[in-house]
PDB file of all heavy atoms in Angstrom:
ATOM      1  N   ASP V   1     -48.871 -20.731 117.866  1.00 94.00           N
ATOM      2  CA  ASP V   1     -47.544 -21.189 118.269  1.00 94.00           C
ATOM      3  C   ASP V   1     -47.101 -22.462 117.534  1.00 94.00           C
ATOM      4  O   ASP V   1     -46.665 -23.435 118.145  1.00 94.00           O
ATOM      5  CB  ASP V   1     -47.514 -21.420 119.784  1.00 94.00           C
ATOM      6  CG  ASP V   1     -46.088 -21.508 120.324  1.00 94.00           C
ATOM      7  OD1 ASP V   1     -45.180 -20.948 119.673  1.00 94.00           O
ATOM      8  OD2 ASP V   1     -45.892 -22.136 121.388  1.00 94.00           O
ATOM      9  N   GLY V   2     -47.214 -22.449 116.204  1.00 95.00           N
ATOM     10  CA  GLY V   2     -46.722 -23.574 115.423  1.00 95.00           C
ATOM     11  C   GLY V   2     -47.621 -24.784 115.421  1.00 95.00           C
ATOM     12  O   GLY V   2     -47.185 -25.884 115.052  1.00 95.00           O
ATOM     13  N   GLY V   3     -48.853 -24.619 115.789  1.00 97.00           N
ATOM     14  CA  GLY V   3     -49.803 -25.730 115.785  1.00 97.00           C
ATOM     15  C   GLY V   3     -51.219 -25.200 115.832  1.00 97.00           C
ATOM     16  O   GLY V   3     -51.475 -24.035 115.527  1.00 97.00           O
ATOM     17  N   ILE V   4     -52.134 -26.058 116.210  1.00 98.00           N
ATOM     18  CA  ILE V   4     -53.538 -25.669 116.286  1.00 98.00           C
ATOM     19  C   ILE V   4     -54.107 -26.144 117.612  1.00 98.00           C
ATOM     20  O   ILE V   4     -53.927 -27.299 118.020  1.00 98.00           O
ATOM     21  CB  ILE V   4     -54.349 -26.254 115.116  1.00 98.00           C
ATOM     22  CG1 ILE V   4     -53.831 -25.683 113.788  1.00 98.00           C
ATOM     23  CG2 ILE V   4     -55.838 -25.941 115.271  1.00 98.00           C
ATOM     24  CD1 ILE V   4     -54.490 -26.286 112.567  1.00 98.00           C
ATOM     25  N   ASN V   5     -54.805 -25.233 118.288  1.00 98.00           N
ATOM     26  CA  ASN V   5     -55.529 -25.566 119.504  1.00 98.00           C
ATOM     27  C   ASN V   5     -56.979 -25.858 119.148  1.00 98.00           C
ATOM     28  O   ASN V   5     -57.605 -25.136 118.379  1.00 98.00           O
ATOM     29  CB  ASN V   5     -55.469 -24.411 120.497  1.00 98.00           C
ATOM     30  CG  ASN V   5     -56.019 -24.788 121.856  1.00 98.00           C
ATOM     31  OD1 ASN V   5     -55.326 -25.411 122.662  1.00 98.00           O
ATOM     32  ND2 ASN V   5     -57.273 -24.418 122.124  1.00 98.00           N
ATOM     33  N   PHE V   6     -57.495 -26.938 119.695  1.00 98.00           N
ATOM     34  CA  PHE V   6     -58.888 -27.316 119.477  1.00 98.00           C
ATOM     35  C   PHE V   6     -59.622 -27.246 120.811  1.00 98.00           C
ATOM     36  O   PHE V   6     -59.120 -27.740 121.826  1.00 98.00           O
ATOM     37  CB  PHE V   6     -58.991 -28.741 118.924  1.00 98.00           C
ATOM     38  CG  PHE V   6     -58.347 -28.926 117.585  1.00 98.00           C
ATOM     39  CD1 PHE V   6     -56.988 -29.232 117.486  1.00 98.00           C
ATOM     40  CD2 PHE V   6     -59.082 -28.816 116.418  1.00 98.00           C
ATOM     41  CE1 PHE V   6     -56.388 -29.420 116.250  1.00 98.00           C
ATOM     42  CE2 PHE V   6     -58.488 -29.004 115.172  1.00 98.00           C
ATOM     43  CZ  PHE V   6     -57.139 -29.304 115.083  1.00 98.00           C
ATOM     44  N   SER V   7     -60.828 -26.677 120.804  1.00 98.00           N
ATOM     45  CA  SER V   7     -61.622 -26.603 122.028  1.00 98.00           C
ATOM     46  C   SER V   7     -63.083 -26.861 121.687  1.00 98.00           C
ATOM     47  O   SER V   7     -63.610 -26.330 120.700  1.00 98.00           O
ATOM     48  CB  SER V   7     -61.473 -25.235 122.700  1.00 98.00           C
ATOM     49  OG  SER V   7     -62.229 -25.176 123.898  1.00 98.00           O
ATOM     50  N   LEU V   8     -63.736 -27.665 122.497  1.00 98.00           N
ATOM     51  CA  LEU V   8     -65.095 -28.134 122.233  1.00 98.00           C
ATOM     52  C   LEU V   8     -65.894 -28.127 123.530  1.00 98.00           C
ATOM     53  O   LEU V   8     -65.391 -28.518 124.590  1.00 98.00           O
ATOM     54  CB  LEU V   8     -65.035 -29.563 121.669  1.00 98.00           C
ATOM     55  CG  LEU V   8     -66.358 -30.237 121.312  1.00 98.00           C
ATOM     56  CD1 LEU V   8     -66.894 -29.665 119.995  1.00 98.00           C
ATOM     57  CD2 LEU V   8     -66.167 -31.749 121.203  1.00 98.00           C
ATOM     58  N   PHE V   9     -67.164 -27.720 123.441  1.00 98.00           N
ATOM     59  CA  PHE V   9     -68.041 -27.747 124.615  1.00 98.00           C
ATOM     60  C   PHE V   9     -68.805 -29.066 124.702  1.00 98.00           C
ATOM     61  O   PHE V   9     -69.376 -29.528 123.723  1.00 98.00           O
ATOM     62  CB  PHE V   9     -69.058 -26.606 124.556  1.00 98.00           C
ATOM     63  CG  PHE V   9     -70.170 -26.750 125.578  1.00 98.00           C
ATOM     64  CD1 PHE V   9     -70.003 -26.274 126.876  1.00 98.00           C
ATOM     65  CD2 PHE V   9     -71.368 -27.384 125.249  1.00 98.00           C
ATOM     66  CE1 PHE V   9     -71.011 -26.428 127.819  1.00 98.00           C
ATOM     67  CE2 PHE V   9     -72.377 -27.538 126.191  1.00 98.00           C
ATOM     68  CZ  PHE V   9     -72.199 -27.059 127.474  1.00 98.00           C
ATOM     69  N   SER V  10     -68.817 -29.668 125.874  1.00 98.00           N
ATOM     70  CA  SER V  10     -69.753 -30.742 126.205  1.00 98.00           C
ATOM     71  C   SER V  10     -69.785 -30.897 127.720  1.00 98.00           C
ATOM     72  O   SER V  10     -68.760 -31.208 128.343  1.00 98.00           O
ATOM     73  CB  SER V  10     -69.374 -32.072 125.545  1.00 98.00           C
ATOM     74  OG  SER V  10     -70.345 -33.054 125.878  1.00 98.00           O
ATOM     75  N   ARG V  11     -70.948 -30.676 128.279  1.00 98.00           N
ATOM     76  CA  ARG V  11     -71.084 -30.749 129.735  1.00 98.00           C
ATOM     77  C   ARG V  11     -71.225 -32.175 130.226  1.00 98.00           C
ATOM     78  O   ARG V  11     -70.699 -32.545 131.283  1.00 98.00           O
ATOM     79  CB  ARG V  11     -72.300 -29.923 130.177  1.00 98.00           C
ATOM     80  CG  ARG V  11     -72.597 -29.960 131.680  1.00 98.00           C
ATOM     81  CD  ARG V  11     -73.604 -28.908 132.062  1.00 98.00           C
ATOM     82  NE  ARG V  11     -73.073 -27.577 131.752  1.00 98.00           N
ATOM     83  CZ  ARG V  11     -73.800 -26.456 131.772  1.00 98.00           C
ATOM     84  NH1 ARG V  11     -75.089 -26.506 132.062  1.00 98.00           N
ATOM     85  NH2 ARG V  11     -73.240 -25.299 131.494  1.00 98.00           N
ATOM     86  N   HIS V  12     -71.949 -33.008 129.478  1.00 98.00           N
ATOM     87  CA  HIS V  12     -72.286 -34.338 129.972  1.00 98.00           C
ATOM     88  C   HIS V  12     -71.436 -35.445 129.358  1.00 98.00           C
ATOM     89  O   HIS V  12     -71.658 -36.622 129.647  1.00 98.00           O
ATOM     90  CB  HIS V  12     -73.771 -34.625 129.714  1.00 98.00           C
ATOM     91  CG  HIS V  12     -74.693 -33.703 130.454  1.00 98.00           C
ATOM     92  ND1 HIS V  12     -75.311 -32.615 129.864  1.00 98.00           N
ATOM     93  CD2 HIS V  12     -75.078 -33.689 131.749  1.00 98.00           C
ATOM     94  CE1 HIS V  12     -76.058 -31.991 130.755  1.00 98.00           C
ATOM     95  NE2 HIS V  12     -75.933 -32.618 131.908  1.00 98.00           N
ATOM     96  N   ALA V  13     -70.449 -35.094 128.525  1.00 98.00           N
ATOM     97  CA  ALA V  13     -69.578 -36.111 127.935  1.00 98.00           C
ATOM     98  C   ALA V  13     -68.658 -36.704 128.994  1.00 98.00           C
ATOM     99  O   ALA V  13     -68.295 -36.050 129.982  1.00 98.00           O
ATOM    100  CB  ALA V  13     -68.751 -35.504 126.809  1.00 98.00           C
ATOM    101  N   THR V  14     -68.267 -37.958 128.751  1.00 97.00           N
ATOM    102  CA  THR V  14     -67.291 -38.609 129.631  1.00 97.00           C
ATOM    103  C   THR V  14     -65.924 -38.723 128.968  1.00 97.00           C
ATOM    104  O   THR V  14     -64.915 -38.886 129.655  1.00 97.00           O
ATOM    105  CB  THR V  14     -67.783 -40.012 130.026  1.00 97.00           C
ATOM    106  OG1 THR V  14     -68.040 -40.774 128.832  1.00 97.00           O
ATOM    107  CG2 THR V  14     -69.053 -39.917 130.864  1.00 97.00           C
ATOM    108  N   GLN V  15     -65.902 -38.654 127.632  1.00 97.00           N
ATOM    109  CA  GLN V  15     -64.632 -38.702 126.916  1.00 97.00           C
ATOM    110  C   GLN V  15     -64.832 -38.126 125.516  1.00 97.00           C
ATOM    111  O   GLN V  15     -65.919 -38.223 124.934  1.00 97.00           O
ATOM    112  CB  GLN V  15     -64.083 -40.130 126.811  1.00 97.00           C
ATOM    113  CG  GLN V  15     -62.645 -40.191 126.312  1.00 97.00           C
ATOM    114  CD  GLN V  15     -62.023 -41.567 126.475  1.00 97.00           C
ATOM    115  OE1 GLN V  15     -62.622 -42.471 127.038  1.00 97.00           O
ATOM    116  NE2 GLN V  15     -60.806 -41.716 125.981  1.00 97.00           N
ATOM    117  N   VAL V  16     -63.767 -37.529 124.981  1.00 98.00           N
ATOM    118  CA  VAL V  16     -63.803 -36.918 123.654  1.00 98.00           C
ATOM    119  C   VAL V  16     -62.582 -37.375 122.873  1.00 98.00           C
ATOM    120  O   VAL V  16     -61.483 -37.503 123.434  1.00 98.00           O
ATOM    121  CB  VAL V  16     -63.823 -35.370 123.756  1.00 98.00           C
ATOM    122  CG1 VAL V  16     -63.688 -34.737 122.375  1.00 98.00           C
ATOM    123  CG2 VAL V  16     -65.088 -34.890 124.447  1.00 98.00           C
ATOM    124  N   TRP V  17     -62.771 -37.649 121.585  1.00 97.00           N
ATOM    125  CA  TRP V  17     -61.655 -37.967 120.698  1.00 97.00           C
ATOM    126  C   TRP V  17     -61.611 -36.934 119.574  1.00 97.00           C
ATOM    127  O   TRP V  17     -62.645 -36.628 118.946  1.00 97.00           O
ATOM    128  CB  TRP V  17     -61.807 -39.344 120.068  1.00 97.00           C
ATOM    129  CG  TRP V  17     -61.693 -40.485 121.024  1.00 97.00           C
ATOM    130  CD1 TRP V  17     -60.579 -41.200 121.333  1.00 97.00           C
ATOM    131  CD2 TRP V  17     -62.762 -41.070 121.777  1.00 97.00           C
ATOM    132  NE1 TRP V  17     -60.864 -42.187 122.242  1.00 97.00           N
ATOM    133  CE2 TRP V  17     -62.203 -42.134 122.539  1.00 97.00           C
ATOM    134  CE3 TRP V  17     -64.124 -40.803 121.902  1.00 97.00           C
ATOM    135  CZ2 TRP V  17     -62.970 -42.926 123.385  1.00 97.00           C
ATOM    136  CZ3 TRP V  17     -64.885 -41.585 122.751  1.00 97.00           C
ATOM    137  CH2 TRP V  17     -64.315 -42.629 123.481  1.00 97.00           C
ATOM    138  N   LEU V  18     -60.433 -36.415 119.308  1.00 97.00           N
ATOM    139  CA  LEU V  18     -60.198 -35.574 118.141  1.00 97.00           C
ATOM    140  C   LEU V  18     -59.558 -36.433 117.071  1.00 97.00           C
ATOM    141  O   LEU V  18     -58.561 -37.121 117.333  1.00 97.00           O
ATOM    142  CB  LEU V  18     -59.269 -34.409 118.489  1.00 97.00           C
ATOM    143  CG  LEU V  18     -58.718 -33.607 117.299  1.00 97.00           C
ATOM    144  CD1 LEU V  18     -59.827 -32.806 116.622  1.00 97.00           C
ATOM    145  CD2 LEU V  18     -57.577 -32.695 117.747  1.00 97.00           C
ATOM    146  N   GLU V  19     -60.118 -36.416 115.846  1.00 97.00           N
ATOM    147  CA  GLU V  19     -59.571 -37.204 114.759  1.00 97.00           C
ATOM    148  C   GLU V  19     -59.134 -36.282 113.623  1.00 97.00           C
ATOM    149  O   GLU V  19     -59.855 -35.350 113.243  1.00 97.00           O
ATOM    150  CB  GLU V  19     -60.607 -38.210 114.239  1.00 97.00           C
ATOM    151  CG  GLU V  19     -60.961 -39.256 115.281  1.00 97.00           C
ATOM    152  CD  GLU V  19     -61.835 -40.371 114.745  1.00 97.00           C
ATOM    153  OE1 GLU V  19     -62.468 -40.183 113.683  1.00 97.00           O
ATOM    154  OE2 GLU V  19     -61.885 -41.435 115.396  1.00 97.00           O
ATOM    155  N   LEU V  20     -57.944 -36.562 113.077  1.00 97.00           N
ATOM    156  CA  LEU V  20     -57.392 -35.802 111.958  1.00 97.00           C
ATOM    157  C   LEU V  20     -57.436 -36.658 110.705  1.00 97.00           C
ATOM    158  O   LEU V  20     -57.020 -37.830 110.725  1.00 97.00           O
ATOM    159  CB  LEU V  20     -55.951 -35.385 112.249  1.00 97.00           C
ATOM    160  CG  LEU V  20     -55.717 -34.595 113.544  1.00 97.00           C
ATOM    161  CD1 LEU V  20     -54.240 -34.234 113.670  1.00 97.00           C
ATOM    162  CD2 LEU V  20     -56.581 -33.346 113.583  1.00 97.00           C
ATOM    163  N   TYR V  21     -57.934 -36.080 109.618  1.00 96.00           N
ATOM    164  CA  TYR V  21     -58.114 -36.812 108.365  1.00 96.00           C
ATOM    165  C   TYR V  21     -57.292 -36.179 107.246  1.00 96.00           C
ATOM    166  O   TYR V  21     -57.014 -34.976 107.268  1.00 96.00           O
ATOM    167  CB  TYR V  21     -59.594 -36.827 107.965  1.00 96.00           C
ATOM    168  CG  TYR V  21     -60.452 -37.707 108.834  1.00 96.00           C
ATOM    169  CD1 TYR V  21     -60.970 -37.244 110.045  1.00 96.00           C
ATOM    170  CD2 TYR V  21     -60.739 -39.011 108.446  1.00 96.00           C
ATOM    171  CE1 TYR V  21     -61.756 -38.055 110.847  1.00 96.00           C
ATOM    172  CE2 TYR V  21     -61.521 -39.838 109.249  1.00 96.00           C
ATOM    173  CZ  TYR V  21     -62.027 -39.356 110.440  1.00 96.00           C
ATOM    174  OH  TYR V  21     -62.800 -40.170 111.231  1.00 96.00           O
ATOM    175  N   ASP V  22     -56.957 -37.026 106.263  1.00 96.00           N
ATOM    176  CA  ASP V  22     -56.228 -36.552 105.089  1.00 96.00           C
ATOM    177  C   ASP V  22     -57.163 -36.146 103.957  1.00 96.00           C
ATOM    178  O   ASP V  22     -56.922 -35.164 103.263  1.00 96.00           O
ATOM    179  CB  ASP V  22     -55.274 -37.636 104.574  1.00 96.00           C
ATOM    180  CG  ASP V  22     -54.134 -37.906 105.539  1.00 96.00           C
ATOM    181  OD1 ASP V  22     -53.764 -36.977 106.293  1.00 96.00           O
ATOM    182  OD2 ASP V  22     -53.628 -39.043 105.553  1.00 96.00           O
ATOM    183  N   GLU V  23     -58.257 -36.911 103.755  1.00 96.00           N
ATOM    184  CA  GLU V  23     -59.161 -36.681 102.642  1.00 96.00           C
ATOM    185  C   GLU V  23     -60.603 -36.655 103.133  1.00 96.00           C
ATOM    186  O   GLU V  23     -60.942 -37.326 104.120  1.00 96.00           O
ATOM    187  CB  GLU V  23     -59.002 -37.776 101.571  1.00 96.00           C
ATOM    188  CG  GLU V  23     -57.606 -37.861 100.968  1.00 96.00           C
ATOM    189  CD  GLU V  23     -57.241 -36.623 100.171  1.00 96.00           C
ATOM    190  OE1 GLU V  23     -58.178 -35.922  99.703  1.00 96.00           O
ATOM    191  OE2 GLU V  23     -56.030 -36.361 100.003  1.00 96.00           O
ATOM    192  N   PRO V  24     -61.477 -35.949 102.419  1.00 96.00           N
ATOM    193  CA  PRO V  24     -62.864 -35.824 102.869  1.00 96.00           C
ATOM    194  C   PRO V  24     -63.608 -37.146 102.998  1.00 96.00           C
ATOM    195  O   PRO V  24     -64.456 -37.293 103.882  1.00 96.00           O
ATOM    196  CB  PRO V  24     -63.507 -34.939 101.789  1.00 96.00           C
ATOM    197  CG  PRO V  24     -62.378 -34.141 101.226  1.00 96.00           C
ATOM    198  CD  PRO V  24     -61.200 -35.061 101.260  1.00 96.00           C
ATOM    199  N   ALA V  25     -63.332 -38.113 102.128  1.00 95.00           N
ATOM    200  CA  ALA V  25     -64.081 -39.369 102.141  1.00 95.00           C
ATOM    201  C   ALA V  25     -63.389 -40.463 102.953  1.00 95.00           C
ATOM    202  O   ALA V  25     -63.833 -41.621 102.925  1.00 95.00           O
ATOM    203  CB  ALA V  25     -64.321 -39.850 100.713  1.00 95.00           C
ATOM    204  N   ASP V  26     -62.328 -40.140 103.671  1.00 95.00           N
ATOM    205  CA  ASP V  26     -61.644 -41.155 104.469  1.00 95.00           C
ATOM    206  C   ASP V  26     -62.567 -41.715 105.542  1.00 95.00           C
ATOM    207  O   ASP V  26     -63.291 -40.975 106.220  1.00 95.00           O
ATOM    208  CB  ASP V  26     -60.409 -40.556 105.146  1.00 95.00           C
ATOM    209  CG  ASP V  26     -59.242 -40.389 104.181  1.00 95.00           C
ATOM    210  OD1 ASP V  26     -59.348 -40.876 103.045  1.00 95.00           O
ATOM    211  OD2 ASP V  26     -58.244 -39.756 104.577  1.00 95.00           O
ATOM    212  N   ALA V  27     -62.518 -43.042 105.706  1.00 94.00           N
ATOM    213  CA  ALA V  27     -63.319 -43.702 106.737  1.00 94.00           C
ATOM    214  C   ALA V  27     -62.576 -43.786 108.059  1.00 94.00           C
ATOM    215  O   ALA V  27     -63.200 -43.928 109.124  1.00 94.00           O
ATOM    216  CB  ALA V  27     -63.719 -45.105 106.281  1.00 94.00           C
TER     217      ALA V  27
END
């Protein structure tokens, strides 16, 4: 639907961050 859905498994995590990068070596 005009974008991307991201889904990740973690049972014991308290918080998750999704990061988007422009280049492979970006810090």
Side-chain angles (χ1 to χ4, degrees):
D1 196 25
I4 297 175
N5 189 81
F6 297 87
S7 181
L8 181 76
F9 168 86
S10 182
R11 177 168 299 169
H12 297 100
T14 56
Q15 191 168 355
V16 173
W17 292 266
L18 168 69
E19 295 188 341
L20 305 181
Y21 289 84
D22 292 332
E23 300 294 336
D26 283 352

